[in-house]
Amino acid sequence: GVSGLQDAHVEPLGGGFLMVARAFVGNTPHDVVLTSGDGASWTSHPLPAGVTDVQLAGAAGALATKPSADATAPVATLLSLDGVTWNPATLPGNNTLVSQIVRLAPSGTLLGIAHDETGPANLVTSSDDGASWQFGSGLTDQVYSLITIGQSVFAVANVPGTSTVALWQSVDGSDWTRLDVTTADATIAPVYDRLGLFEGSVLKAV
């Protein structure tokens, strides 16, 4: 087991689990990354030097931010898909973070939501395990949530060119079909809560 950790967040990772949490050395907090094959026994892994903040970026891995030696330069982004090996990740535009990463089957392509300090969250895609990212297609405006169920990926995102929020489905991350959230279709209903479409027991207007 693990003890003495705060703000612990866990995601599935392959056949096991990945945890990002906060630990303290004296009164100084620092982030830790642990992996487990069974959820009971956990192994802590060292972080790259200079890393100041680690976040879970979705079921595909963890994201770390590393300050640049040049205060005027962009913050470097490091991504790990296993909690052990960290590599630089290049994001498009002014984005510095990527979250809610999902892996499409069977292609292995990664999808995520990229952010900058002030702009909208954009759909991004990577075909090289997160080393480089490009803007995605189909959903070109604000994207709020991504999940995969079976062979499909679902997104909550604005209808392109509008502020209308809608639920979308895709099998390749490029071509998206808008779904009718008022339907009672049993294949759609299970994604509502996981995408944050419920407020209490009431379906939000999308």
Side-chain angles (χ1 to χ4, degrees):
V2 293
S3 61
L5 301 179
Q6 298 182 6
D7 299 326
H9 301 274
V10 178
E11 288 278 4
L13 180 70
F17 303 93
L18 175 69
M19 178 192 297
V20 171
R22 181 152 295 183
F24 284 82
V25 177
N27 293 323
T28 303
H30 66 279
D31 291 328
V32 293
V33 173
L34 306 96
T35 57
S36 173
D38 58 9
S41 176
W42 292 84
T43 301
S44 179
H45 302 282
L47 295 174
V51 165
T52 56
D53 180 56
V54 179
Q55 304 173 34
L56 279 178
L63 176 79
T65 56
K66 182 179 180 181
S68 171
D70 178 358
T72 64
V75 173
T77 300
L78 302 175
L79 181 69
S80 175
L81 300 181
D82 59 8
V84 179
T85 302
W86 295 84
N87 294 299
T90 303
L91 297 170
N94 296 321
N95 293 297
T96 57
L97 293 174
V98 59
S99 64
Q100 298 192 45
I101 297 172
V102 298
R103 187 183 292 277
L104 300 182
S107 68
T109 298
L110 298 178
L111 290 181
I113 300 175
H115 313 259
D116 62 20
E117 296 300 322
T118 58
N122 303 117
L123 181 71
V124 289
T125 181
S126 171
S127 58
D128 57 8
D129 270 350
S132 60
W133 295 81
Q134 298 78 40
F135 287 120
S137 59
L139 302 181
T140 55
D141 291 340
Q142 183 87 18
V143 181
Y144 304 95
S145 301
L146 284 175
I147 62 168
T148 53
I149 297 179
Q151 300 292 311
S152 292
V153 57
F154 295 86
V156 174
N158 284 2
V159 176
T162 77
S163 59
T164 301
V165 181
L167 176 63
W168 305 83
Q169 181 180 15
S170 175
V171 294
D172 60 7
S174 298
D175 296 319
W176 295 86
T177 300
R178 183 177 177 179
L179 301 180
D180 180 2
V181 298
T182 63
T183 181
D185 188 334
T187 63
I188 298 174
V191 309
Y192 289 166
D193 191 47
R194 290 178 60 185
L195 280 169
L197 292 177
F198 276 118
E199 188 164 5
S201 59
V202 179
L203 182 65
K204 295 178 182 179
V206 295

